[in-house]
Amino acid sequence: MYQLLKEQLAATIEALKVTEFNRGNAIQRLIMALYATIIEQIDSAVTLIDSGRTAGVEAILRTCLEAHVDLLNLASDPVYVDQMQAHYHYQFKLVCQEAMKGTNPFLASIESDAPARYEEHKRELERLGRPLTIQTRFEMAGLNDLYYSIYNSLCCEAHNNMRSLMDRHFINNGTEETPVFQIAIFNDMEKVDFDAAIDGFLSILTGSNRTIHHYLNSGQLDRLEIFAERRAAMSPKEEQTVAKGPPEA
């Protein structure tokens, strides 16, 4: 599946080069920005895997999945942009609130106009409403099952959950009754985790391609659907290979 992902990613980039959209339309620009972000994030994951540094792959998959959720929702309903704007104003309202205290050296450059900015963000939030939770955004995209399962697991990796930290960095060379722990760094991903991550990237890329090219009626989808057909024809037990280190020059 990994080689399939690399081929599908390359074909996606080639199709993007000839995909036309209305650059004067703010919604279409935002949709394309989400799509471009997904492509970049998958490419970053591939780069890490090829260099034998897979520690950040699942964190990238989590961010990629969030972008996919926003892409599905925005392509389905342009009014969804209001919630994305609300999220922006909510976050910067908190930043301004902190800057107004005058005690944070990292926000000193905006202290003087923080009150005015705070009021602006506050007004916009009153107009737009409170931003949706990530759970609600998954539900809107029809991906509620993923929120309580795969996304939850990916969050554990991204947020330094204790279970994830211990699993990733300690090997028990003893027994369960008499453990002998050895610290580890730069270990390869477990095969089951690697397979799941690659399948996740494939699903996101396939779904995003379908969403974009249907939305824009680009005429490029047929050249990309062949990869979904190849994935469907694969045996679930097909061998995967995790890169063992930086490729030779």
Side-chain angles (χ1 to χ4, degrees), residues 170-233:
F170 282 93
I171 300 171
N172 183 3
N173 292 323
T175 64
E176 187 174 342
E177 294 76 17
T178 310
V180 179
F181 292 111
Q182 176 185 344
I183 193 166
I185 59 173
F186 304 130
N187 268 2
D188 296 325
M189 293 174 68
E190 293 290 336
K191 183 179 183 302
V192 64
D193 296 328
F194 180 74
D195 289 356
I198 298 306
D199 206 25
F201 284 123
L202 278 168
S203 296
I204 290 170
L205 190 56
T206 297
S208 297
N209 284 340
R210 287 171 175 169
T211 298
I212 285 293
H213 294 292
H214 274 306
Y215 182 86
L216 296 174
N217 193 25
S218 68
Q220 298 298 314
L221 187 57
D222 286 348
R223 67 190 285 192
L224 300 174
E225 277 297 289
I226 188 173
F227 297 100
E229 294 168 4
R230 285 172 57 187
R231 173 64 190 96

Side-chain angles (χ1 to χ4, degrees), residues 86-244:
H87 183 75
Y88 162 79
H89 288 293
Y90 179 78
Q91 292 299 324
F92 273 90
K93 175 174 170 281
L94 295 179
V95 171
C96 292
Q97 192 171 3
E98 175 66 16
M100 287 162 60
K101 297 177 183 177
T103 58
N104 191 324
F106 298 105
L107 299 177
S109 63
I110 66 169
E111 276 182 24
S112 61
D113 59 348
R117 291 189 182 190
Y118 176 86
E119 291 300 325
E120 177 186 349
H121 293 307
K122 182 180 177 182
R123 285 194 301 271
E124 286 300 299
L125 277 173
E126 290 172 351
R127 180 179 67 86
L128 296 166
R130 190 175 180 85
L132 301 175
T133 65
I134 185 64
Q135 178 182 348
T136 301
R137 288 152 58 192
F138 268 75
E139 290 172 353
M140 290 177 64
L143 300 177
N144 197 42
D145 288 346
L146 291 184
Y147 176 79
Y148 286 107
S149 54
I150 294 171
Y151 182 72
N152 180 275
S153 178
L154 294 174
C155 286
C156 289
E157 290 293 330
H159 293 158
N160 295 317
N161 176 274
M162 185 174 70
R163 180 192 67 201
S164 298
L165 287 170
M166 295 301 104
D167 288 345
R168 189 161 65 240
H169 292 301
F170 282 93
I171 300 171
N172 183 3
N173 292 323
T175 64
E176 187 174 342
E177 294 76 17
T178 310
V180 179
F181 292 111
Q182 176 185 344
I183 193 166
I185 59 173
F186 304 130
N187 268 2
D188 296 325
M189 293 174 68
E190 293 290 336
K191 183 179 183 302
V192 64
D193 296 328
F194 180 74
D195 289 356
I198 298 306
D199 206 25
F201 284 123
L202 278 168
S203 296
I204 290 170
L205 190 56
T206 297
S208 297
N209 284 340
R210 287 171 175 169
T211 298
I212 285 293
H213 294 292
H214 274 306
Y215 182 86
L216 296 174
N217 193 25
S218 68
Q220 298 298 314
L221 187 57
D222 286 348
R223 67 190 285 192
L224 300 174
E225 277 297 289
I226 188 173
F227 297 100
E229 294 168 4
R230 285 172 57 187
R231 173 64 190 96
M234 284 182 175
S235 164
K237 294 182 180 180
E238 179 168 332
E239 288 294 322
Q240 299 296 318
T241 302
V242 185
K244 297 296 183 180

